[in-house]
Amino acid sequence: MTATRPNTRRLRLVLGVAIAAALPFAPWVSRSEGLTLAAAALTYVIGSWVLEAIAARRPGFPARALIPLLGLIVITVVMIAIPRTLEAGLVLFVLGVAFSTYVGGRTLGVWLSAGALAAAI
């Protein structure tokens, strides 16, 4: 896996936290939905930042597989917590699996699809 530069990781973290901070104030969501979305965004941004930082220090760490898995878990939690996001969440779920398969290879796609099937059941 190609290691991301520290400046790139820092910029991603700052932008992610800024977006998460703005979500509760979005006009199309209620206050509780905004807080749920903000918590989900923070979980993903901080989690992926930590995983990338670990991968930068330990080349054998499977961040390439864990970050998409974290994203799919966050999408699933949002779909369960906010039922009206089900359709958009399913589209994001499929796009997440497809993109992760493209970037991470077929094996990662098979594992993510198997996890998605297990979560659906």
Side-chain angles (χ1 to χ4, degrees):
M1 178 178 149
T2 307
T4 55
R5 290 184 281 167
N7 288 339
T8 305
R9 285 194 311 267
R10 204 171 298 126
L11 178 63
R12 247 188 255 162
L13 179 65
V14 168
L15 286 175
V17 169
I19 290 170
L23 281 171
F25 305 106
W28 62 86
V29 295
S30 68
R31 176 67 82 190
S32 65
E33 290 174 344
L35 291 174
T36 301
L37 290 171
L42 280 174
T43 300
Y44 178 74
V45 167
I46 293 172
S48 63
W49 181 76
V50 167
L51 291 172
E52 285 179 348
I54 293 170
R57 288 178 173 68
R58 296 178 183 228
F61 187 74
R64 191 178 207 170
L66 293 176
I67 291 173
L69 182 64
L70 175 65
L72 295 179
I73 290 170
V74 168
I75 291 170
T76 303
V77 168
V78 168
M79 287 188 315
I80 292 169
I82 307 173
R84 72 182 179 118
T85 63
L86 182 63
E87 293 85 14
L90 290 174
V91 170
L92 284 173
F93 207 83
V94 169
L95 289 174
V97 169
F99 181 74
S100 299
T101 302
Y102 174 72
V103 172
R106 237 178 307 182
T107 305
L108 177 61
V110 168
W111 281 109
L112 290 176
S113 298
L117 183 62
I121 291 173

